[in-house]
Amino acid sequence: MHWPFCTARCPYCDFNSHVRHDPVNQKEFARAYARELSHFARLTRGRTVQSIFFGGGTPSLMEAETVQTILEAIAGNWSMDPEVEISLEANPTSVEARRFRDYKSAGINRVSLGVQSLRDDALARLGRMHSVSEAKLAVGIAQSIFERTSFDLIYARPHQGPKEWEEELNEALGMAMGHLSLYQLTIEQGTSYFDLRAAGKLAMPDADLSADLYLMSQQMTAAAGMPAYEISNHARPGEESRHNLLYWRYGEYVGIGPGAHGRILQGDVRHAISNQKLPETWARQVMEKGSAIASDERLTWEEEGDEYLLMGLRLREGISPERFHQLCGRRLDERQVNELKNIGFVQILSNGNLRVTDKGWPVLDAVVADLAM
Ligand SMILES: C[S@@+](CC[C@H](N)C(=O)[O-])C[C@H]1O[C@@H](n2cnc3c(N)ncnc32)[C@H](O)[C@@H]1O
Ligand code: SF4
């Protein structure tokens, strides 16, 4: 579920986010979400909902009533796993933290907070609307209301060295309950950070320093009992996000809302679907014809195999060579696998899965490229 609105645009962000100066008519949007849900329910009959994720944009700007309407529409359209994971991504301002209890009443059972940094100067440079103390308070409130919580930090930021990151990550590990996401800052085209870097005004860490910070993050989280289960996601065993795992295990998911992406099977063809990005266009089209699809691509077997590698090799559990074969009808190139094994970038696990090693993770893109078509 993509909620596309934000209070302000962060200078590093290239997600589908929109700032509106007039209040958003949430009732109208809720109706459009419900309408789009019934459209996709007709295409995915017989499936059981395992997880729901409200991402953004800033879903914590949604009124609890809007969340509830959407959850009721989901429950009315599909059967739900009794253990369904229902996460909501929240920005840690005090205004938003006040809504947490109502979100729980609406059905949310997991909250993920966009803390981004535990340093006020860094938060200011990232253009965030919250302070460190506000973020800590929001994490505490979330932890007292929800059994399962997570928060995100961005590292490899300008002006950040190993010592600074070590101290900050230690503090974060002291705060985290079961799950923590650590993202290396990426500079995306079309963002203000992209222009700043091009103008030489962003002191980004070089590749060696970024790799050191990455390794340090892996070691410190593992030592704290929250190892990486995916390249940027860390959890105590059993606390992994089921929703994240479903993406990386190449499951089926419906993307609802402006700019959302989905992967659904129709017969034995996997469709890659993406929605109109502009919220008002999306809502109008959904109300007119039930959906607002910008592209619907029938993936070839080769593309499915490549996507499975791209997603699955991010996971510590790796990929199943058998499933790869079932998806795309070819086997992994044994010579290529052996070469990668010999340089220590991949290993074969006792269950037959192939996984990227700690040494291979920093060069994951190259490993995927070697194994893909
Ligand atoms: C959908 S985004 C934002 C969710 C929420 N609106 C917020 O800002 O906290 C999810 C996460 O992606 C990460 N992220 C976004 N842009 C990034 C970038 N350019 N580099 C690294 N991480 C990024 C942030 O940690 C963020 O919390
Ligand atoms: S980082 Fe989050 S709050 Fe900032 S613009 Fe992107 S989605 Fe919105």
Side-chain angles (χ1 to χ4, degrees), residues 6 8-10 12-13 17 57-58 91 128:
C6 291
R9 179 100 192 163
C10 304
Y12 56 87
C13 176
S17 92
T58 307
N91 286 23
R128 302 297 291 182

Side-chain angles (χ1 to χ4, degrees), residues 2 6 10 12-15 55-59 89-92 113-116 128 152-154 181 183-188:
H2 189 88
C6 291
C10 304
Y12 56 87
C13 176
D14 84 330
F15 285 84
T58 307
E89 215 167 50
N91 286 23
L113 290 141
V115 170
Q116 318 309 359
R128 302 297 291 182
D152 298 348
L153 292 180
I154 296 179
S181 303
Y183 299 111
Q184 278 203 27
L185 178 61
T186 52
I187 306 295
E188 311 284 354

Side-chain angles (χ1 to χ4, degrees), residues 2 196-197 259 370:
H2 189 88
L196 280 176
R197 188 181 61 180
D370 274 356

Side-chain angles (χ1 to χ4, degrees), residues 59-90:
S60 50
L61 295 177
M62 294 170 94
E63 289 153 17
E65 211 184 322
T66 311
V67 172
Q68 192 171 342
T69 306
I70 292 172
L71 290 178
E72 282 166 3
I74 296 172
N77 277 302
W78 285 275
S79 59
M80 301 268 250
D81 188 301
E83 301 280 295
V84 64
E85 175 185 282
I86 311 180
S87 306
L88 182 135
E89 215 167 50

